[in-house]
Amino acid sequence: MIKLFRFLKPYGIPISSIVILVFFQALSSLYLPTLMSDIVDSGIINGDINYITATGGLMLLVALAGSICAITASLLSSQVAMGFGRMIRSAIFDRVSSFSLHEFDKFGTPSLVTRCTNDITQIQNVMMFAMRMVILSPLMCIGAIIMAISKDKHLAWVIIAVVPVLSGAILILARKGFPLYQVIQAKLDKINLVVRETLIGIRVIRAFNRIENEKKRFQLANLDLTETAIRVNQIMALMMPVMMLLMNFTTLAVIWFGGINIERGFTNIGNMMAFLQYAMQIMFAIMMATMMFIMIPRAQAAAVRVNEVLATDPEIVDPEYTKPFENKKGYLKFTNVTFHYHGAEEPALKNVSFEACPGEVTAIIGSTGSGKSTLINLIPRFYDVNSGKIEINGVDVREMTQETLRSKIGLVPQKAVLFSGTISENIRYGKEDSTDAEVQHAAEIAQATEFISDMKDGFASLISEGGTNVSGGQKQRLSIARALVGKPEIYVFDDSFSALDFKTDAKLRAALKKETADSTLIIVGQRVATIMDADRIIVLDEGKITGIGTHKELYQTCEVYREIVASQLSEEEIA
Ligand code: ADP
Ligand code: MG
C-alpha cells in the first residue's frame, strides 16, 4: 500500500489541507458538549437569558464551522481518492500496454482486467474513508477521553469499563464477517465465469444438449453466493444491536451514577450531560478505528495485486541508441535463433537460421506445435530470442525501436482479430490515413469485395464486438486486407488461409503475388497446395528446421516433408 502512495497527489490538493480540516472538525465536535454544559450549569440554573442566547449562538457558529470543515474534508478526500484511483489505473494501463507476451502469459488476461478495475476500486474506496478516519478517530478518541475526565473524574470508570467490551465485540464480529466478504468476491468471480462461459459457448452447449447442466452449474454457484451473503449479513446485522445495547447501557450507567454524584454535590447536571456526549464520541471513534483496522488489510490485499503489475518491468524495451539501416529493404535474416517460453522445459525453437528476400515467398510448414507461430511472433519482437539474432535490413531487431520495426511488418495473425467498428475502419487500422481507394484496393486483393458488397452498408457495415457477425474466412480476409493497406516491407501470414476454400485461396494468392512483387512474403501454411510454389519452403519439426528448399528439392531430400505431402496430395498431383 505504502508503495502506491506515490500516486497520492492529484489535482494539486495538498493532503495537509485535509488534515487541517479534519482537525478543526474534531475541535468543534469536542467543544460543543462543553458549551452545552455551560449553558445548563451557568445559564439555565441561574436563569440568565443573555448568557443562554450568547452561548447558544456560539454553539450554532461552532457547529456550523465544524460541518463546513467536515463537508469540505470529505469532498477533498473523495477527490483525492478518485484521482488516486485514476492515476493508478492509467499507470497500470501504461505498464500493461508495454508488456511483452511473456508478461501477459504470466498474469493471464482476466486477472489483469480485475487488477485494473475491481482491485483499484477497492483501494480507492478504503482510501476515501480512511483518509479522514485515520486522523479523526484517534483525535476524537483521545480528545473526548481528556474532556470527559476533565468534566467528571468520578465517572471515568464507566469509560474504562465499556471501551474494551465495545472494541472486543466489534473485533469479534468483524473478524467473523470480513473474511466472508473476500469469499463473496471469489464466489462472484465464479458466477462471472459460469455466465461468461455459457454465453460464449451457447452454440456448443445447445448442440450437445447441455443446457440443463449449465443451468445446474449456475444455480449451484448462485446458491453458494447467496448462502455466503446471507451469513455475512446475519453477522453484520448483529453489529448495530450490539452497538445500541452498549451505548444504551453506557447512557444508563452515566445517568445513574452521575445522578448519585449530583445528589452528593460532586458534579453538576450540565457536566454530566457533557460527559454522556463525550462517552458517545469515544465509542463512535473506537468503532471507526476498529473498522479501519479491518478494512485496511483488505485494501492491502488489493494493493499487493496492483503492485505486482506495476513492479513487473517489461522485458522488451526500446534500445537507447538505434542503429541506422543498411541500404536494403525487406531483408529478413534469422541466425541460430533459439527460443524458450518461460517455464517450458524444451526450447520452442532450436538453432533456426534462414534468410528471406524481397520478391520472394518463404513458406513455413510443419505439424501443429512445431513452432511455426512461435517463429512468426519473434519477427515483430513479441518475444525476444534467447540466443542468436534476427535481423531486418541488416539491423538486429533489438537495435531499432519497436515502432520502426513494426511499421515494416504486415502481420496477419493465426487467430484473426477484428475490432468493433465499420469494415473500412477495421481495414484502416493498418494505415490510419489511407484513402477510400486504397482501402477498396486492399479489400479487392484480399478477395473480400464480394462479401462486403453483399452486406447492407458495404464498407460502412458494422462489425460487432469480437467480429461475431462475419464468418471465420471473412474475418481472415479482412485481416489480410488490413495488413495489405499499410504496404509494409515484409508480409507475415500465420496460417491465414486456413479458413478459405481452395478456390478463394488460389485466387487470393495469385492476386497477392502481383501486389507484393517487391515485398518479402512469409507464409505459414498447413496445406501443401498453399505453399508448394513458394521460392523457399522451410520445414519445421519440433522447433528445428529439417529442410529448406523448393517443393521439388524437399520432396526428394526431406523425409518429414514427403510425409506431409503424401498425406495430402494424390500421386498425380505430386508428379
Ligand atoms: P504451431 O504454430 O506450429 O502450431 P506454436 O508455435 O504455436 O506451434 O507452438 C510451439 C510450441 O510452443 C508448442 O509446443 C506450444 O505448446 C508451445 N507454446 C506456444 N505458445 C506458448 C506460450 N505462450 N507459452 C508456453 N508455451 C507455448
Ligand atoms: Mg500456429
Side-chain angles (χ1 to χ4, degrees):
M1 188 98 159
I2 304 292
K3 276 191 205 148
L4 291 178
F5 282 167
R6 66 198 138 105
F7 295 105
L8 193 60
K9 38 184 183 290
Y11 301 125
I13 300 167
I15 305 297
S16 53
S17 66
I18 297 176
V19 175
I20 292 168
L21 284 169
V22 169
F23 182 75
F24 281 111
Q25 182 194 345
L27 273 192
S28 104
S29 309
L30 289 172
Y31 192 32
L32 284 173
T34 303
L35 282 176
M36 186 204 59
S37 79
D38 285 350
I39 290 185
V40 175
D41 291 344
S42 317
I44 296 179
I45 289 181
N46 300 336
D48 187 347
I49 293 292
N50 286 341
Y51 184 81
I52 294 173
T53 22
T55 318
L58 183 60
M59 269 183 87
L60 267 180
L61 278 182
V62 172
L64 194 71
S67 312
I68 291 174
C69 284
I71 292 170
T72 321
S74 84
L75 201 77
L76 290 186
S77 66
S78 58
Q79 257 183 39
V80 171
M82 293 306 141
F84 178 66
R86 186 186 63 114
M87 304 277 273
I88 302 182
R89 250 193 300 276
S90 53
I92 286 215
F93 191 79
D94 280 353
R95 181 47 60 106
V96 171
S97 310
S98 66
F99 275 177
S100 81
L101 298 189
H102 264 318
E103 283 97 36
F104 277 101
D105 293 347
K106 182 178 144 200
F107 288 105
T109 314
S111 172
L112 283 176
V113 173
T114 344
R115 286 170 206 239
C116 197
T117 51
N118 185 35
D119 284 349
I120 294 177
T121 312
Q122 292 253 356
I123 300 173
Q124 192 175 281
N125 289 346
V126 171
M127 219 27 230
M128 196 161 67
F129 173 76
M131 211 169 345
R132 277 173 305 135
M133 288 307 157
V134 160
I135 313 156
L136 192 61
S137 58
L139 263 183
M140 287 299 292
C141 194
I142 295 167
I145 288 176
I146 294 171
M147 294 301 285
I149 291 172
S150 78
K151 286 288 160 204
D152 195 339
K153 323 189 245 314
H154 306 287
L155 284 177
W157 65 267
V158 177
I159 293 174
I160 295 171
V162 79
V163 164
V165 179
L166 177 70
S167 350
I170 298 174
L171 216 59
I172 290 171
L173 287 179
R175 272 267 173 80
K176 276 198 177 331
F178 276 105
L180 288 181
Y181 279 117
Q182 260 147 324
V183 178
I184 285 189
Q185 206 63 35
K187 303 212 157 146
L188 211 60
D189 280 350
K190 174 85 184 168
I191 288 210
N192 280 341
L193 178 102
V194 176
V195 171
R196 262 182 56 181
E197 275 191 353
T198 310
L199 293 184
I200 292 170
I202 193 72
R203 289 176 186 80
V204 180
I205 292 167
R206 293 210 173 134
F208 286 90
N209 271 326
R210 303 292 281 191
I211 277 281
E212 284 308 313
N213 272 62
E214 289 300 306
K215 274 190 192 156
K216 249 186 241 140
R217 206 154 74 105
F218 181 78
Q219 273 161 6
L220 224 66
N222 198 3
L223 198 68
D224 207 19
L225 175 70
T226 313
E227 275 169 1
T228 317
I230 289 176
R231 207 137 42 93
V232 169
N233 285 323
Q234 277 169 346
I235 294 169
M236 286 305 160
L238 275 180
M239 192 88 114
M240 234 19 216
V242 169
M243 284 294 304
M244 291 311 287
L245 195 71
L246 278 172
M247 281 199 175
N248 287 332
F249 266 118
T250 312
T251 312
L252 203 66
V254 170
I255 293 175
W256 182 284
F257 296 103
I260 294 171
N261 286 346
I262 292 170
E263 204 169 61
R264 288 184 188 156
F266 291 154
T267 187
N268 300 325
I269 186 148
N271 266 349
M272 190 200 72
M273 284 167 70
F275 186 92
L276 190 58
Q277 291 205 1
Y278 286 126
M280 294 298 132
Q281 286 181 351
I282 294 167
M283 291 174 78
F284 195 70
I286 288 174
M287 195 169 78
M288 286 301 153
T290 337
M291 298 285 266
M292 242 166 33
F293 275 116
I294 296 147
M295 280 170 82
I296 287 176
R298 281 177 69 201
Q300 175 71 20
V304 167
R305 280 161 56 93
V306 168
N307 248 324
E308 264 172 11
V309 178
L310 291 178
T312 303
D313 285 321
E315 216 174 61
I316 291 183
V317 284
D318 284 340
E320 215 162 309
Y321 305 102
T322 53
K323 234 172 114 177
F325 289 103
E326 287 169 21
N327 194 15
K328 292 181 186 169
K329 249 186 131 187
Y331 280 86
L332 172 72
K333 188 174 175 195
F334 273 56
T335 318
N336 285 327
V337 169
T338 297
F339 171 76
H340 261 280
Y341 282 108
H342 285 197
E345 271 177 32
E346 289 285 306
L349 289 177
K350 280 166 253 171
N351 261 330
V352 171
S353 303
F354 70 91
E355 265 178 81
C357 308
E360 286 184 356
V361 178
T362 303
I364 303 172
I365 194 167
S367 53
T368 35
S370 56
K372 304 183 298 293
S373 296
T374 307
L375 190 155
I376 295 294
N377 282 336
L378 293 180
I379 303 173
R381 222 183 153 205
F382 291 156
Y383 297 101
D384 264 345
V385 299
N386 291 93
S387 65
K389 61 179 174 181
I390 300 170
E391 287 163 306
I392 286 181
N393 302 343
V395 179
D396 193 315
V397 292
R398 288 165 294 189
E399 286 173 332
M400 57 183 92
T401 63
Q402 294 167 62
E403 200 180 337
T404 321
L405 168 64
R406 287 166 194 167
S407 70
K408 295 186 180 307
I409 299 168
L411 173 73
V412 185
Q414 181 161 15
K415 194 165 176 285
V417 175
L418 298 180
F419 298 93
S420 43
T422 64
I423 288 192
S424 58
E425 273 165 11
N426 264 289
I427 297 178
R428 241 183 219 118
Y429 209 83
K431 183 172 166 245
E432 228 169 317
D433 53 357
S434 51
T435 61
D436 285 344
E438 281 174 312
V439 169
Q440 272 159 26
H441 180 65
E444 188 92 36
I445 294 164
Q447 309 298 313
T449 324
E450 205 172 310
F451 81 82
I452 293 175
S453 52
D454 279 349
M455 292 174 91
K456 207 172 96 233
D457 299 316
F459 278 88
S461 308
L462 285 176
I463 301 281
S464 58
E465 192 189 325
T468 42
N469 59 344
V470 280
S471 78
Q474 291 170 340
K475 251 197 259 186
Q476 281 194 336
R477 278 177 276 171
L478 288 179
S479 74
I480 290 171
R482 176 174 63 198
L484 283 168
V485 81
K487 298 204 184 313
E489 294 173 24
I490 302 171
Y491 287 93
V492 180
F493 297 95
D494 187 357
D495 220 350
S496 317
F497 312 111
S498 59
L500 305 183
D501 56 276
F502 283 90
K503 203 176 108 211
T504 314
D505 181 0
K507 265 165 63 185
L508 199 155
R509 273 182 300 114
L512 209 56
K513 199 159 189 178
K514 264 189 251 145
E515 175 72 12
T516 59
D518 323 318
S519 314
T520 312
L521 249 68
I522 317 275
I523 295 179
V524 169
Q526 291 287 345
R527 292 188 205 139
V528 177
T530 310
I531 54 119
M532 65 189 276
D533 36 81
D535 300 287
R536 186 183 303 101
I537 299 172
I538 298 173
V539 185
L540 266 187
D541 188 37
E542 295 185 351
K544 282 187 298 241
I545 294 186
T546 55
I548 298 187
T550 59
H551 172 71
K552 271 217 178 74
E553 291 162 9
L554 285 172
Y555 191 69
Q556 266 142 31
T557 56
C558 181
E559 179 63 37
V560 179
Y561 188 69
R562 210 166 12 217
E563 277 169 18
I564 298 174
V565 173
S567 68
Q568 292 184 17
L569 302 186
S570 63
E571 290 292 329
E572 57 254 58
E573 276 175 311
I574 297 169

